[in-house]
Amino acid sequence: MSTIVNQIFKPLLDFIYPPYCAICKEPLNGARVVCNECFDEILPTPIPFCQKCGKPLSNNEDTICKRCKETPLSLNYIRGIGIFDEPLRTIIHLFKYKRKLSLGKRLSNLLVSTFNSAVVLHNADVITPVPLHRVKFRERGYNQSEILARGLSKGTGIEYENLVKRIRYTRSQALMNEYDDRIKNVEGAFKVIKNVKGKNILLVDDVTTTGATLNAIAKEILKEGAKSISAIVLAVA
Ligand SMILES: [Zn+2]
Ligand SMILES: [Zn+2]
């Protein structure tokens, strides 16, 4: 680039892609937004974790956690890359709310690794994202789960399809503490828009806390005759 172009565009580029890591503030050395050292600090979900919901188990639980035994999920399995802890928490925040879409590729790669090591997910016929309501989509400009689902589809060769629509605007689950509130909030919020009969569906989302959103979608999909539904997420909180 000529000096004059450099003078104009370099600051603009640096503004769009600041050359320092958003987490440790060290130079990025070619990486985008978050340096490779910080990104590599994302740890896999500690073992043992619940074989159903994917959350770490406490000492006195066997292979399935107390919650899954008492209130079984409609999903067969949920698996996460890791727990909702640093640096994953900040990286998800940057990706979801700060338009740092370049993180999508690296996060999708982690989903692919998690998928590859989770044999229980390997029967999936179709990958589909948790949908955003159109109002929220307009506000945010993108559906972070769709970016992840498309990346996972690319990395695994499993077909991608938008199977579900969000038909009711819901408050953010993150703002609710009570499990029952979260369930009520997403009740009747989703509609299946494609044929899912006989298919094994893999649902993709960024974070799951109580599993209420994933479960509400799973119920609708099973009602339409799908064979099974599981989910893969970035973080289990
Ligand atoms: Zn860093
Ligand atoms: Zn569980």
Side-chain angles (χ1 to χ4, degrees):
M1 267 194 281
S2 71
T3 325
I4 212 104
V5 173
N6 232 330
Q7 277 172 0
I8 298 166
F9 286 106
K10 187 71 171 60
L12 184 65
L13 274 174
D14 287 351
F15 176 74
I16 300 168
Y17 299 115
Y20 293 97
C21 171
I23 294 176
C24 70
K25 315 296 178 207
E26 293 292 322
L28 277 169
N29 294 325
R32 279 203 188 166
V33 187
V34 174
C35 75
N36 290 328
E37 284 76 10
C38 286
F39 204 86
D40 288 344
E41 276 176 32
I42 297 176
L43 295 178
T45 311
I47 293 169
F49 52 79
C50 170
Q51 290 308 299
K52 294 299 273 181
C53 71
K55 286 190 189 195
L57 289 164
S58 55
N59 297 333
N60 48 3
E61 294 172 317
D62 51 9
T63 56
I64 292 173
C65 75
K66 197 165 157 265
R67 254 264 315 278
C68 286
K69 274 184 189 158
E70 284 169 2
T71 336
L73 291 166
S74 294
L75 298 118
N76 282 11
Y77 306 101
I78 302 175
R79 289 292 179 271
I81 289 173
I83 50 172
F84 197 48
D85 217 339
E86 294 305 337
L88 190 51
R89 186 199 300 256
T90 298
I91 291 171
I92 291 172
H93 185 83
L94 291 164
F95 175 57
K96 187 172 177 178
Y97 299 111
K98 302 285 177 190
R99 303 192 63 87
K100 301 300 181 197
L101 300 189
S102 61
L103 291 167
K105 175 99 181 66
R106 291 155 93 192
L107 290 168
S108 296
N109 289 344
L110 289 183
L111 281 180
V112 172
S113 313
T114 301
F115 174 87
N116 285 339
S117 59
V119 182
V120 292
L121 304 180
H122 289 186
N123 66 350
D125 301 310
V126 189
I127 290 174
T128 198
V130 168
L132 275 186
H133 190 270
R134 61 189 162 75
V135 172
K136 220 176 257 181
F137 185 87
R138 224 179 292 136
E139 278 168 15
R140 194 175 296 165
Y142 59 101
N143 177 358
Q144 71 285 352
S145 300
E146 177 175 340
I147 294 171
L148 297 170
R150 286 187 188 278
L152 181 64
S153 165
K154 218 171 168 191
T156 57
I158 299 168
E159 189 193 340
Y160 171 96
E161 224 179 333
N162 286 314
L163 300 177
V164 190
K165 197 177 165 187
R166 204 183 274 255
I167 51 174
R168 191 159 60 73
Y169 190 85
T170 51
R171 290 177 296 144
S172 169
Q173 294 283 87
L175 301 174
M176 273 167 255
N177 292 322
E178 295 301 323
Y179 183 52
D180 289 349
D181 288 346
R182 287 178 180 235
I183 289 177
K184 272 196 209 106
N185 187 41
V186 290
E187 233 168 37
F190 301 99
K191 186 173 184 262
V192 178
I193 52 170
K194 296 268 173 68
N195 182 13
V196 294
K197 248 186 200 101
K199 289 182 183 169
N200 298 299
I201 313 289
L202 183 59
L203 193 54
V204 179
D205 204 3
D206 48 2
V207 183
T208 181
T209 307
T210 59
T213 301
L214 297 175
N215 218 40
I217 295 173
K219 277 184 188 161
E220 293 302 321
I221 285 182
L222 289 172
K223 242 192 256 169
E224 297 300 320
K227 198 167 167 193
S228 76
I229 175 149
S230 292
I232 188 165
V233 298
L234 296 178
V236 285

Coordinates of all heavy atoms in Angstrom, one line a residue, residues 45-128:
T45 N -15.0 -29.3 29.0 CA -15.8 -29.6 30.2 C -15.1 -30.6 31.0 O -14.7 -31.7 30.5 CB -17.2 -30.1 29.8 OG1 -17.7 -29.3 28.7 CG2 -18.1 -30.2 30.9
P46 N -14.9 -30.3 32.3 CA -14.2 -31.3 33.2 C -14.9 -32.6 33.3 O -16.2 -32.6 33.3 CB -14.1 -30.6 34.6 CG -15.0 -29.4 34.5 CD -15.3 -29.1 33.0
I47 N -14.2 -33.7 33.4 CA -14.7 -35.0 33.5 C -14.8 -35.4 35.0 O -13.8 -35.0 35.7 CB -13.9 -36.0 32.7 CG1 -14.0 -35.7 31.2 CG2 -14.2 -37.4 33.0 CD1 -13.0 -36.4 30.4
P48 N -15.8 -36.0 35.6 CA -16.9 -36.5 34.8 C -18.0 -35.5 34.6 O -18.2 -34.6 35.5 CB -17.4 -37.6 35.8 CG -17.1 -37.2 37.1 CD -15.8 -36.4 37.0
F49 N -18.8 -35.6 33.5 CA -19.9 -34.7 33.3 C -21.1 -35.6 33.1 O -21.0 -36.8 32.7 CB -19.7 -33.7 32.2 CG -19.3 -34.3 30.9 CD1 -20.2 -35.0 30.0 CD2 -18.0 -34.3 30.4 CE1 -19.8 -35.5 28.8 CE2 -17.6 -34.8 29.2 CZ -18.5 -35.5 28.4
C50 N -22.3 -35.0 33.3 CA -23.6 -35.8 33.2 C -23.7 -36.3 31.7 O -23.6 -35.5 30.8 CB -24.8 -34.9 33.6 SG -26.4 -35.6 33.2
Q51 N -24.0 -37.6 31.6 CA -24.1 -38.2 30.3 C -25.3 -37.6 29.5 O -25.4 -37.8 28.3 CB -24.1 -39.7 30.4 CG -22.8 -40.3 30.8 CD -21.6 -39.8 30.0 OE1 -21.6 -40.0 28.8 NE2 -20.7 -39.1 30.6
K52 N -26.3 -37.0 30.2 CA -27.4 -36.5 29.5 C -27.2 -35.0 29.1 O -27.1 -34.6 28.0 CB -28.7 -36.6 30.3 CG -29.2 -38.1 30.5 CD -29.5 -38.8 29.2 CE -30.9 -38.6 28.8 NZ -31.2 -39.4 27.6
C53 N -27.1 -34.1 30.2 CA -27.1 -32.7 29.9 C -25.7 -32.1 29.8 O -25.6 -30.9 29.4 CB -27.8 -32.0 31.1 SG -26.9 -32.0 32.6
G54 N -24.7 -32.9 30.0 CA -23.3 -32.4 29.8 C -22.7 -31.5 30.8 O -21.6 -31.0 30.7
K55 N -23.4 -31.3 32.0 CA -22.9 -30.5 33.0 C -21.9 -31.3 33.9 O -22.2 -32.5 34.1 CB -24.0 -29.9 33.9 CG -24.8 -28.8 33.2 CD -25.7 -28.1 34.1 CE -26.6 -27.2 33.3 NZ -27.3 -26.3 34.1
P56 N -20.9 -30.6 34.5 CA -20.0 -31.3 35.4 C -20.8 -31.9 36.5 O -21.8 -31.3 37.0 CB -19.1 -30.2 35.9 CG -19.2 -29.2 34.8 CD -20.5 -29.2 34.3
L57 N -20.5 -33.1 36.9 CA -21.2 -33.8 38.0 C -20.5 -33.5 39.4 O -19.3 -33.3 39.4 CB -21.1 -35.3 37.8 CG -21.9 -35.9 36.7 CD1 -21.4 -37.3 36.3 CD2 -23.4 -35.9 37.0
S58 N -21.4 -33.4 40.4 CA -20.8 -33.3 41.7 C -20.4 -34.7 42.3 O -20.8 -35.7 41.7 CB -21.7 -32.5 42.7 OG -23.0 -33.2 42.7
N59 N -19.7 -34.7 43.4 CA -19.1 -35.9 43.9 C -20.1 -37.1 44.0 O -19.7 -38.2 43.7 CB -18.5 -35.7 45.2 CG -17.3 -34.6 45.1 OD1 -16.7 -34.6 44.0 ND2 -17.1 -33.9 46.1
N60 N -21.3 -36.8 44.6 CA -22.1 -37.9 45.0 C -23.1 -38.4 43.8 O -24.0 -39.1 44.1 CB -22.9 -37.6 46.2 CG -23.5 -36.2 46.1 OD1 -23.4 -35.5 45.1 ND2 -24.2 -35.7 47.2
E61 N -22.9 -37.9 42.6 CA -23.8 -38.3 41.5 C -23.0 -39.3 40.7 O -21.8 -39.2 40.5 CB -24.1 -37.0 40.7 CG -24.9 -36.0 41.4 CD -25.1 -34.7 40.6 OE1 -24.1 -34.3 40.0 OE2 -26.2 -34.2 40.6
D62 N -23.8 -40.2 40.1 CA -23.1 -41.2 39.2 C -23.0 -40.6 37.8 O -22.5 -39.5 37.6 CB -23.7 -42.6 39.3 CG -25.3 -42.6 39.1 OD1 -25.8 -41.5 38.8 OD2 -25.9 -43.6 39.3
T63 N -23.5 -41.3 36.8 CA -23.3 -40.9 35.4 C -24.3 -39.8 34.9 O -24.1 -39.2 33.9 CB -23.2 -42.0 34.4 OG1 -24.5 -42.7 34.5 CG2 -22.1 -43.0 34.7
I64 N -25.4 -39.8 35.6 CA -26.5 -38.8 35.3 C -26.8 -38.0 36.5 O -27.0 -38.5 37.6 CB -27.8 -39.6 34.7 CG1 -27.4 -40.2 33.4 CG2 -28.9 -38.6 34.6 CD1 -28.5 -41.1 32.9
C65 N -26.9 -36.6 36.2 CA -27.1 -35.7 37.4 C -28.5 -35.8 38.0 O -29.4 -36.4 37.4 CB -26.8 -34.3 37.0 SG -28.1 -33.5 36.0
K66 N -28.6 -35.3 39.1 CA -29.9 -35.3 39.9 C -31.0 -34.7 39.1 O -32.1 -35.2 39.0 CB -29.7 -34.6 41.2 CG -30.7 -34.9 42.3 CD -30.2 -34.4 43.6 CE -31.3 -34.1 44.6 NZ -31.7 -32.7 44.6
R67 N -30.8 -33.5 38.5 CA -31.8 -32.8 37.8 C -32.3 -33.6 36.6 O -33.5 -33.7 36.3 CB -31.2 -31.5 37.2 CG -31.7 -30.3 38.0 CD -32.9 -29.5 37.3 NE -32.8 -29.3 35.9 CZ -32.1 -28.3 35.3 NH1 -31.4 -27.5 36.1 NH2 -32.0 -28.2 34.0
C68 N -31.4 -34.3 35.8 CA -31.8 -35.1 34.7 C -32.6 -36.3 35.1 O -33.5 -36.8 34.4 CB -30.6 -35.5 33.9 SG -29.9 -34.1 32.9
K69 N -32.3 -36.8 36.3 CA -33.0 -38.0 36.8 C -34.5 -37.6 37.2 O -35.4 -38.2 36.9 CB -32.3 -38.6 38.0 CG -31.3 -39.6 37.6 CD -30.7 -40.2 38.8 CE -29.5 -41.1 38.4 NZ -28.6 -41.3 39.6
E70 N -34.5 -36.4 37.9 CA -35.8 -35.9 38.4 C -36.7 -35.4 37.3 O -37.9 -35.7 37.2 CB -35.6 -34.8 39.5 CG -35.2 -35.4 40.8 CD -34.7 -34.4 41.8 OE1 -34.8 -33.2 41.4 OE2 -34.3 -34.8 42.9
T71 N -36.1 -34.6 36.4 CA -36.9 -34.0 35.3 C -36.1 -34.3 34.0 O -35.4 -33.5 33.5 CB -37.0 -32.5 35.4 OG1 -36.8 -32.1 36.8 CG2 -38.2 -31.9 34.8
P72 N -36.4 -35.5 33.4 CA -35.7 -35.9 32.2 C -35.9 -34.9 31.0 O -37.0 -34.4 30.8 CB -36.2 -37.2 31.8 CG -36.9 -37.8 33.1 CD -37.4 -36.5 33.8
L73 N -34.8 -34.6 30.3 CA -34.9 -33.7 29.2 C -35.6 -34.4 28.0 O -35.5 -35.6 27.9 CB -33.5 -33.3 28.7 CG -32.6 -32.4 29.7 CD1 -31.2 -32.5 29.2 CD2 -33.2 -31.0 29.6
S74 N -36.1 -33.6 27.1 CA -36.7 -34.2 25.9 C -35.5 -34.5 24.9 O -35.7 -35.2 23.9 CB -37.7 -33.3 25.2 OG -38.8 -33.1 26.0
L75 N -34.4 -33.9 25.2 CA -33.2 -34.1 24.3 C -32.5 -35.4 24.8 O -32.5 -35.7 26.0 CB -32.2 -33.0 24.4 CG -32.7 -31.6 24.0 CD1 -32.7 -30.7 25.2 CD2 -31.9 -31.1 22.8
N76 N -31.9 -36.1 23.8 CA -31.2 -37.3 24.2 C -29.9 -36.9 24.9 O -29.5 -37.4 26.0 CB -30.8 -38.1 23.0 CG -32.0 -39.0 22.5 OD1 -33.1 -38.7 23.0 ND2 -31.7 -39.9 21.6
Y77 N -29.2 -35.9 24.3 CA -27.9 -35.5 24.9 C -27.7 -34.0 24.7 O -28.1 -33.5 23.6 CB -26.7 -36.2 24.3 CG -26.9 -37.7 24.3 CD1 -27.3 -38.4 23.2 CD2 -26.6 -38.4 25.5 CE1 -27.5 -39.8 23.2 CE2 -26.7 -39.8 25.5 CZ -27.2 -40.5 24.4 OH -27.3 -41.8 24.5
I78 N -27.0 -33.4 25.6 CA -26.4 -32.0 25.4 C -24.9 -32.1 25.6 O -24.5 -32.7 26.6 CB -27.0 -31.0 26.3 CG1 -28.5 -30.9 26.2 CG2 -26.4 -29.6 26.0 CD1 -29.2 -29.9 27.2
R79 N -24.1 -31.6 24.7 CA -22.7 -31.5 24.9 C -22.2 -30.1 24.7 O -22.7 -29.4 23.8 CB -22.0 -32.5 24.0 CG -22.2 -34.0 24.2 CD -21.5 -34.4 25.6 NE -21.8 -35.8 25.8 CZ -22.8 -36.3 26.5 NH1 -23.7 -35.4 27.0 NH2 -22.9 -37.6 26.8
G80 N -21.3 -29.7 25.6 CA -20.7 -28.3 25.4 C -19.2 -28.4 25.2 O -18.6 -29.4 25.7
I81 N -18.6 -27.4 24.6 CA -17.2 -27.3 24.5 C -16.6 -27.3 25.9 O -15.6 -28.0 26.2 CB -16.8 -26.1 23.7 CG1 -17.1 -26.2 22.2 CG2 -15.3 -25.8 23.9 CD1 -16.9 -24.9 21.5
G82 N -17.1 -26.4 26.7 CA -16.6 -26.2 28.0 C -17.6 -25.6 28.9 O -18.8 -25.5 28.6
I83 N -17.2 -25.2 30.1 CA -18.2 -24.6 31.0 C -18.1 -23.1 30.8 O -17.2 -22.5 30.3 CB -17.9 -25.0 32.5 CG1 -16.5 -24.8 32.9 CG2 -18.4 -26.4 32.8 CD1 -16.2 -24.9 34.4
F84 N -19.2 -22.4 31.3 CA -19.3 -20.9 31.1 C -18.4 -20.2 32.1 O -18.8 -19.6 33.1 CB -20.8 -20.5 31.3 CG -21.1 -19.2 30.7 CD1 -20.7 -18.9 29.5 CD2 -21.8 -18.3 31.5 CE1 -21.1 -17.6 28.9 CE2 -22.2 -17.0 31.0 CZ -21.8 -16.7 29.7
D85 N -17.1 -20.2 31.8 CA -16.1 -19.6 32.6 C -15.1 -18.9 31.7 O -15.2 -19.0 30.5 CB -15.4 -20.8 33.3 CG -15.0 -20.5 34.7 OD1 -14.9 -19.3 35.1 OD2 -14.8 -21.5 35.5
E86 N -14.2 -18.1 32.3 CA -13.2 -17.4 31.5 C -12.2 -18.4 30.9 O -11.9 -19.4 31.6 CB -12.5 -16.3 32.3 CG -13.4 -15.2 32.8 CD -14.2 -14.5 31.6 OE1 -13.7 -14.6 30.5 OE2 -15.2 -14.0 31.9
P87 N -11.7 -18.2 29.7 CA -12.0 -17.0 28.8 C -13.2 -17.2 27.9 O -13.5 -16.3 27.2 CB -10.7 -16.9 28.0 CG -10.3 -18.4 27.9 CD -10.6 -19.0 29.2
L88 N -13.8 -18.4 28.0 CA -14.9 -18.7 27.1 C -16.1 -17.7 27.2 O -16.6 -17.3 26.3 CB -15.4 -20.1 27.3 CG -16.4 -20.7 26.3 CD1 -15.9 -20.6 24.9 CD2 -16.7 -22.2 26.6
R89 N -16.3 -17.3 28.5 CA -17.4 -16.4 28.8 C -17.2 -15.0 28.0 O -18.1 -14.6 27.3 CB -17.5 -16.1 30.3 CG -18.7 -15.2 30.7 CD -18.4 -14.6 32.0 NE -18.2 -15.6 33.1 CZ -19.1 -16.0 34.0 NH1 -20.3 -15.4 34.0 NH2 -18.9 -16.9 34.9
T90 N -16.0 -14.5 28.1 CA -15.7 -13.2 27.4 C -15.7 -13.4 25.9 O -16.3 -12.6 25.1 CB -14.4 -12.7 27.8 OG1 -14.4 -12.4 29.2 CG2 -14.0 -11.4 27.1
I91 N -15.2 -14.5 25.4 CA -15.2 -14.8 24.0 C -16.6 -14.9 23.4 O -16.9 -14.3 22.4 CB -14.3 -16.0 23.7 CG1 -12.8 -15.8 24.0 CG2 -14.5 -16.5 22.2 CD1 -11.9 -17.0 24.0
I92 N -17.5 -15.6 24.1 CA -18.9 -15.7 23.7 C -19.5 -14.3 23.7 O -20.2 -13.9 22.8 CB -19.7 -16.7 24.6 CG1 -19.2 -18.1 24.3 CG2 -21.2 -16.6 24.3 CD1 -19.7 -19.1 25.3
H93 N -19.2 -13.5 24.7 CA -19.8 -12.2 24.8 C -19.4 -11.3 23.6 O -20.2 -10.6 23.0 CB -19.4 -11.5 26.1 CG -20.1 -10.2 26.3 ND1 -21.3 -10.0 26.8 CD2 -19.6 -8.9 26.0 CE1 -21.6 -8.7 26.8 NE2 -20.6 -8.0 26.4
L94 N -18.1 -11.4 23.2 CA -17.6 -10.6 22.1 C -18.3 -11.1 20.8 O -18.6 -10.3 19.9 CB -16.1 -10.8 22.0 CG -15.2 -10.2 23.1 CD1 -13.8 -10.7 23.1 CD2 -15.2 -8.6 22.9
F95 N -18.4 -12.4 20.7 CA -19.0 -13.0 19.5 C -20.5 -12.6 19.4 O -21.0 -12.3 18.3 CB -18.8 -14.5 19.5 CG -19.4 -15.2 18.4 CD1 -19.1 -14.9 17.1 CD2 -20.3 -16.3 18.7 CE1 -19.7 -15.7 16.0 CE2 -20.9 -17.0 17.6 CZ -20.6 -16.7 16.3
K96 N -21.2 -12.7 20.5 CA -22.6 -12.6 20.5 C -23.1 -11.1 20.5 O -24.1 -10.8 19.8 CB -23.2 -13.4 21.7 CG -24.7 -13.5 21.8 CD -25.1 -14.4 22.9 CE -26.6 -14.5 23.0 NZ -27.0 -15.5 24.1
Y97 N -22.5 -10.3 21.3 CA -23.0 -9.0 21.5 C -22.1 -7.9 20.9 O -22.6 -6.7 20.8 CB -23.2 -8.7 23.0 CG -24.2 -9.6 23.7 CD1 -23.8 -10.6 24.6 CD2 -25.6 -9.5 23.3 CE1 -24.7 -11.4 25.2 CE2 -26.5 -10.4 23.9 CZ -26.0 -11.3 24.8 OH -26.9 -12.2 25.4
K98 N -20.9 -8.1 20.6 CA -20.0 -7.1 20.1 C -19.6 -7.3 18.7 O -18.6 -6.7 18.2 CB -18.7 -7.1 21.0 CG -19.0 -6.9 22.5 CD -19.3 -5.4 22.8 CE -19.7 -5.2 24.2 NZ -20.2 -3.9 24.5
R99 N -20.4 -8.0 18.0 CA -20.2 -8.2 16.5 C -18.8 -8.7 16.1 O -18.3 -8.4 15.0 CB -20.4 -6.9 15.8 CG -21.8 -6.3 16.0 CD -22.1 -5.2 15.0 NE -22.1 -5.7 13.6 CZ -23.2 -6.2 13.0 NH1 -24.3 -6.3 13.7 NH2 -23.1 -6.6 11.8
K100 N -18.1 -9.4 17.0 CA -16.8 -10.0 16.6 C -17.0 -11.3 15.9 O -16.7 -12.4 16.4 CB -15.9 -10.1 17.9 CG -15.7 -8.9 18.6 CD -15.0 -7.8 17.8 CE -14.7 -6.5 18.5 NZ -14.4 -5.4 17.6
L101 N -17.5 -11.2 14.7 CA -17.9 -12.4 14.0 C -16.8 -13.3 13.5 O -16.9 -14.4 13.2 CB -18.8 -12.0 12.7 CG -20.0 -11.2 13.1 CD1 -20.9 -11.0 11.8 CD2 -20.8 -11.9 14.2
S102 N -15.6 -12.6 13.5 CA -14.4 -13.4 13.1 C -14.1 -14.6 14.1 O -13.4 -15.5 13.8 CB -13.2 -12.6 12.9 OG -12.9 -11.9 14.1
L103 N -14.7 -14.4 15.3 CA -14.5 -15.5 16.3 C -15.3 -16.7 15.9 O -15.0 -17.8 16.4 CB -14.9 -15.0 17.7 CG -14.0 -13.9 18.3 CD1 -14.7 -13.3 19.5 CD2 -12.7 -14.5 18.7
G104 N -16.3 -16.6 15.1 CA -17.2 -17.7 14.7 C -16.5 -18.9 14.1 O -16.8 -20.0 14.5
K105 N -15.5 -18.6 13.3 CA -14.7 -19.7 12.7 C -14.0 -20.5 13.7 O -14.0 -21.8 13.7 CB -13.8 -19.1 11.6 CG -12.9 -20.1 10.9 CD -13.4 -20.5 9.6 CE -12.5 -21.5 8.8 NZ -12.4 -22.8 9.5
R106 N -13.3 -19.8 14.6 CA -12.5 -20.5 15.6 C -13.4 -21.3 16.6 O -13.1 -22.4 17.0 CB -11.6 -19.5 16.4 CG -10.5 -19.0 15.4 CD -10.1 -17.6 15.9 NE -8.9 -17.7 16.8 CZ -8.5 -16.7 17.5 NH1 -9.1 -15.5 17.5 NH2 -7.5 -16.8 18.3
L107 N -14.6 -20.7 16.9 CA -15.5 -21.3 17.9 C -16.1 -22.5 17.2 O -16.3 -23.6 17.8 CB -16.6 -20.4 18.3 CG -16.0 -19.3 19.3 CD1 -17.1 -18.2 19.5 CD2 -15.6 -19.9 20.6
S108 N -16.4 -22.4 15.9 CA -17.0 -23.5 15.1 C -16.0 -24.7 15.1 O -16.3 -25.9 15.2 CB -17.3 -23.1 13.7 OG -18.3 -22.2 13.7
N109 N -14.7 -24.4 15.0 CA -13.7 -25.4 15.0 C -13.7 -26.2 16.3 O -13.5 -27.4 16.3 CB -12.3 -24.8 14.7 CG -12.1 -24.4 13.3 OD1 -12.9 -24.7 12.4 ND2 -11.1 -23.5 13.1
L110 N -13.9 -25.5 17.4 CA -14.0 -26.1 18.7 C -15.2 -27.0 18.8 O -15.2 -28.1 19.3 CB -14.0 -25.1 19.8 CG -12.7 -24.4 20.1 CD1 -12.9 -23.5 21.3 CD2 -11.5 -25.3 20.4
L111 N -16.3 -26.5 18.2 CA -17.5 -27.4 18.2 C -17.3 -28.7 17.4 O -17.7 -29.7 17.8 CB -18.7 -26.6 17.5 CG -19.4 -25.6 18.3 CD1 -20.5 -24.9 17.5 CD2 -20.1 -26.2 19.6
V112 N -16.5 -28.5 16.3 CA -16.2 -29.7 15.5 C -15.4 -30.7 16.3 O -15.7 -31.9 16.3 CB -15.5 -29.3 14.2 CG1 -15.0 -30.6 13.4 CG2 -16.4 -28.5 13.3
S113 N -14.4 -30.2 17.0 CA -13.6 -31.2 17.9 C -14.5 -31.8 18.9 O -14.4 -33.0 19.2 CB -12.5 -30.4 18.6 OG -11.8 -29.6 17.8
T114 N -15.4 -31.0 19.6 CA -16.2 -31.6 20.6 C -17.2 -32.6 20.0 O -17.4 -33.7 20.5 CB -17.0 -30.5 21.3 OG1 -16.1 -29.5 21.9 CG2 -18.0 -31.0 22.4
F115 N -17.7 -32.3 18.8 CA -18.6 -33.2 18.1 C -17.8 -34.5 17.8 O -18.3 -35.6 18.1 CB -19.1 -32.6 16.8 CG -19.9 -33.6 16.0 CD1 -21.2 -33.7 16.2 CD2 -19.2 -34.4 15.0 CE1 -22.0 -34.6 15.4 CE2 -20.0 -35.3 14.2 CZ -21.3 -35.4 14.4
N116 N -16.6 -34.4 17.3 CA -15.9 -35.6 16.9 C -15.6 -36.5 18.1 O -15.6 -37.7 17.9 CB -14.5 -35.2 16.3 CG -14.7 -34.7 14.9 OD1 -15.7 -34.9 14.2 ND2 -13.8 -33.9 14.4
S117 N -15.4 -35.9 19.3 CA -15.2 -36.8 20.4 C -16.5 -37.3 21.1 O -16.4 -38.1 22.1 CB -14.2 -36.1 21.4 OG -14.8 -34.9 21.8
A118 N -17.6 -36.8 20.7 CA -18.9 -37.1 21.3 C -19.6 -38.1 20.4 O -20.5 -37.7 19.6 CB -19.7 -35.9 21.6
V119 N -19.3 -39.4 20.6 CA -19.9 -40.4 19.7 C -21.4 -40.4 19.7 O -22.1 -40.7 18.7 CB -19.3 -41.8 20.1 CG1 -19.9 -42.9 19.1 CG2 -17.8 -41.8 20.0
V120 N -22.0 -40.1 20.9 CA -23.5 -40.1 21.0 C -24.2 -39.1 20.0 O -25.4 -39.2 19.8 CB -23.9 -39.8 22.4 CG1 -23.5 -40.9 23.4 CG2 -23.4 -38.5 22.9
L121 N -23.4 -38.2 19.5 CA -24.0 -37.2 18.6 C -23.9 -37.6 17.1 O -24.4 -37.0 16.2 CB -23.4 -35.8 18.8 CG -23.4 -35.2 20.2 CD1 -22.7 -33.8 20.1 CD2 -24.8 -35.0 20.7
H122 N -23.2 -38.7 16.9 CA -22.8 -39.0 15.5 C -23.9 -39.5 14.6 O -23.7 -39.7 13.4 CB -21.6 -40.0 15.5 CG -20.3 -39.3 15.9 ND1 -19.1 -39.9 15.9 CD2 -20.1 -38.1 16.5 CE1 -18.2 -39.1 16.4 NE2 -18.8 -38.0 16.7
N123 N -25.1 -39.8 15.2 CA -26.2 -40.2 14.3 C -26.9 -39.1 13.7 O -27.9 -39.3 12.9 CB -27.2 -41.1 15.1 CG -27.9 -40.2 16.2 OD1 -27.5 -39.1 16.4 ND2 -28.9 -40.8 16.8
A124 N -26.5 -37.8 13.9 CA -27.2 -36.7 13.4 C -27.3 -36.7 11.9 O -26.4 -36.9 11.1 CB -26.5 -35.4 13.8
D125 N -28.6 -36.4 11.4 CA -28.8 -36.3 10.0 C -28.8 -34.8 9.5 O -28.5 -34.5 8.4 CB -30.2 -36.8 9.6 CG -30.3 -38.3 10.0 OD1 -29.4 -39.1 9.7 OD2 -31.3 -38.7 10.7
V126 N -29.3 -33.9 10.4 CA -29.4 -32.5 10.1 C -28.9 -31.6 11.3 O -29.2 -32.0 12.5 CB -30.9 -32.1 9.8 CG1 -31.0 -30.7 9.3 CG2 -31.5 -33.1 8.9
I127 N -28.2 -30.6 11.0 CA -27.8 -29.6 12.0 C -28.7 -28.4 11.8 O -28.9 -27.9 10.7 CB -26.3 -29.2 11.8 CG1 -25.4 -30.4 12.1 CG2 -25.9 -28.0 12.6 CD1 -24.0 -30.3 11.8
T128 N -29.2 -27.9 12.9 CA -30.0 -26.7 12.9 C -29.8 -25.8 14.1 O -29.5 -26.2 15.2 CB -31.5 -27.1 12.8 OG1 -32.3 -26.0 12.3 CG2 -32.1 -27.5 14.2

